[in-house]
Amino acid sequence: MSKTLNRRDFIKTSSATTVGVATIVSGITLTTFAANANENPVTNEKRWGMLIDTNKLTEVEIDGMVSACQQENGWGSEVHSTGDQKPTWVRKLKVQDKATGKITSLPLMCQHCEEPPCVDVCPTNASMKREDGIVLVDKHLCIGCRYCMMACPYDARSFVHEDLTDQREHMPRGKGTVESCTLCVHKVDNGESPACVASVNSDAVIFGDLYDPKSNINQTLKKVQSAQIRADLDLNTGVRYSGI
Amino acid sequence: MYRLVAILMVLLMGNVFADKHADHSNLGEEASSIKASGKIFHTDGLDVIRKMHPDFLNHKRDKTLREGVRTKEGSLKGCVNCHAIKDKKTNQYHPVNDKDQFCSTCHQQVSVSVDCFSCHRTTPRKGTK
Ligand code: SF4
Ligand code: SF4
């Protein structure tokens, strides 16, 4: 801004300001209206969850879910990380029934536990659970100690080992912090389904509010038999599986 | 003594806020066009946004990350989208934290290193890709 503002300039600027305010105010009213749902903090009246039917889901579809997640959130193209260092938000897991030898493939990501051990152990409160059950890492606070990675029974978390650039606009990621499946929280807050769910063209994977009696996921869970992986740990996971 | 210190502070502040880029060459494309149209985006005044933007950003980050409030106000994405400029030759955006870019000029001057951009995207891009 120019430092020597004479009276006439001042009047010019301030009248321009008044016009500006009017325009901006109407602009703001419009955007606020459009973004209505996101103005208020999320509450515990909802609990987001996912139901994965392993009988219906094909291996190709599981691979598709993994790449949809990579595409959406921008992980998987780390060049300097090797082997176990590579971030993995979701992966294809094969489980075998010891008695029959039957092999089942399933996608495994953060299970969004109601009682998350990763949150219990975090010394900085970076690992946190939102009111609506989505478990996240607040990378602003994460010191990279990786306690949460050790505490998670599902090996769902990864540590970023290298400098990153060109991140997704909606998904900040960086060296020295821990990350994991966010349930595509940026999409969920927008009323959309997570990317992996959207990539499957059948009802093999459904997403929704576990508490809402009208939701597909709530109704299906009441009908079909489903399981939580390592239910013995009593973590009450948000991600459920049927067919295992 | 206090008066001297105060004067010194005022002088230093002047230095901080003295616009090295008085031509606003690094103001950013969208920001420049808003300015050219005579509208004012930071309605609280430039001195407020200059001084308070770290607080605004910190407040918003907690609101968004922890509570899911995704309004446009105080959004870092918004800063980047508005204040980035394209290289005339390559037609690519300069990262906003590059030397002499919008997010760097003042920070350079006062030797502050910002850590936003080890995780946050430094150029505008709409949509998911
Ligand atoms: S699955 Fe692991 S990372 Fe996800 S909430 Fe549970 S303990 Fe935390
Ligand atoms: S690595 Fe980060 S999120 Fe995990 S326990 Fe340590 S500080 Fe918390």
Side-chain angles (χ1 to χ4, degrees):
Chain A
M1 249 219 247
S2 139
K3 286 223 172 115
T4 47
L5 210 64
N6 63 32
R7 188 178 153 272
R8 191 165 301 173
D9 281 342
F10 175 72
I11 292 171
K12 263 198 253 161
T13 339
S14 46
S15 60
T17 317
T18 332
V19 177
V21 171
T23 336
I24 298 271
V25 166
S26 69
I28 284 175
T29 326
L30 279 176
T31 31
T32 343
F33 185 68
N36 222 352
N38 294 333
E39 263 173 49
N40 300 319
V42 295
T43 65
N44 59 7
E45 277 156 31
K46 279 190 166 65
R47 167 127 198 256
W48 296 113
M50 206 191 281
L51 175 63
I52 300 168
D53 187 338
T54 54
N55 283 331
K56 284 190 198 152
L57 198 63
T58 65
E59 285 208 27
V60 179
E61 281 173 325
I62 298 177
D63 294 335
M65 289 173 76
V66 175
S67 40
C69 179
Q70 292 179 321
Q71 183 63 29
E72 179 66 31
N73 297 305
W75 60 273
S77 45
E78 294 72 20
V79 279
H80 300 294
S81 307
T82 51
D84 282 351
Q85 293 180 337
K86 286 201 185 298
T88 315
W89 291 25
V90 50
R91 70 195 121 95
K92 184 166 72 181
L93 198 76
K94 289 193 182 198
V95 287
Q96 185 172 25
D97 186 323
K98 275 189 196 145
T100 60
K102 183 194 169 212
I103 294 176
T104 313
S105 297
L106 52 87
L108 190 80
M109 66 288 275
C110 169
Q111 305 287 296
H112 298 276
C113 312
E114 188 180 15
E115 307 281 347
C118 61
V119 173
D120 290 345
V121 299
C122 180
T124 66
N125 201 18
S127 188
M128 46 127 339
K129 190 180 70 164
R130 292 202 329 178
E131 287 290 305
D132 59 0
I134 299 182
V135 178
L136 298 171
V137 179
D138 183 346
K139 289 156 195 175
H140 304 108
L141 301 185
C142 176
I143 53 171
C145 67
R146 291 167 259 183
Y147 284 0
C148 56
M149 287 177 69
M150 279 183 272
C152 172
Y154 305 95
D155 196 12
R157 290 204 159 173
S158 315
F159 180 76
V160 180
H161 284 263
E162 60 185 86
D163 284 320
L164 302 174
T165 52
D166 210 25
Q167 293 92 332
R168 299 290 186 263
E169 196 185 31
H170 53 262
M171 191 52 66
R173 308 175 53 227
K175 183 178 175 178
T177 61
V178 165
E179 56 182 16
S180 55
C181 156
T182 66
L183 217 56
C184 283
V185 64
H186 58 285
K187 293 179 94 119
V188 173
D189 282 346
N190 239 347
E192 298 167 59
S193 286
C196 63
V197 180
S199 77
V200 179
N201 272 330
S202 66
D203 60 352
V205 184
I206 48 182
F207 169 82
D209 178 6
L210 296 174
Y211 291 164
D212 177 7
K214 287 200 278 308
S215 73
N216 186 7
I217 190 164
N218 178 297
Q219 290 176 359
T220 316
L221 278 169
K222 276 182 191 143
K223 273 195 304 245
V224 303
Q225 206 194 13
S226 68
Q228 303 179 28
I229 295 180
R230 291 297 311 269
D232 56 316
L233 295 172
D234 256 348
L235 304 177
N236 192 14
T237 59
V239 180
R240 311 284 174 87
Y241 295 83
S242 59
I244 53 168
Chain B
M1 181 61 195
Y2 281 125
R3 206 174 287 170
L4 255 183
V5 174
I7 292 173
L8 202 70
M9 290 287 278
V10 169
L11 284 177
L12 279 173
M13 292 296 267
N15 200 21
V16 169
F17 295 133
D19 212 333
K20 200 171 141 202
H21 290 250
D23 57 346
H24 299 291
S25 60
N26 71 351
L27 183 63
E29 278 164 14
E30 265 184 55
S32 300
S33 65
I34 292 179
K35 190 177 160 74
S37 72
K39 290 182 194 160
I40 301 216
F41 185 79
H42 296 295
T43 43
D44 291 340
L46 290 184
D47 46 345
V48 174
I49 190 76
R50 277 181 184 150
K51 206 158 119 191
M52 301 296 289
H53 69 279
D55 296 288
F56 295 158
L57 287 168
N58 277 354
H59 179 71
K60 183 67 197 305
R61 84 175 191 198
D62 294 339
K63 279 262 169 219
T64 303
L65 201 150
R66 295 187 174 252
E67 298 179 6
V69 174
R70 291 178 188 271
T71 49
K72 296 210 165 120
E73 216 177 6
S75 136
L76 181 63
K77 252 192 246 178
C79 308
V80 173
N81 284 340
C82 219
H83 288 295
I85 48 171
K86 267 191 187 149
D87 190 301
K88 292 214 173 62
K89 278 184 220 131
T90 60
N91 203 29
Q92 301 282 322
Y93 278 107
H94 286 292
V96 280
N97 62 335
D98 264 13
K99 190 168 180 292
D100 291 335
Q101 295 301 311
F102 187 81
C103 289
S104 290
T105 34
C106 305
H107 295 140
Q108 269 164 222
Q109 192 144 348
V110 292
S111 293
V112 167
S113 35
V114 282
D115 195 25
C116 306
F117 298 111
S118 47
C119 287
H120 283 276
R121 187 180 175 83
T122 55
T123 53
R125 189 190 273 174
K126 314 273 185 289
T128 51
K129 279 189 140 186

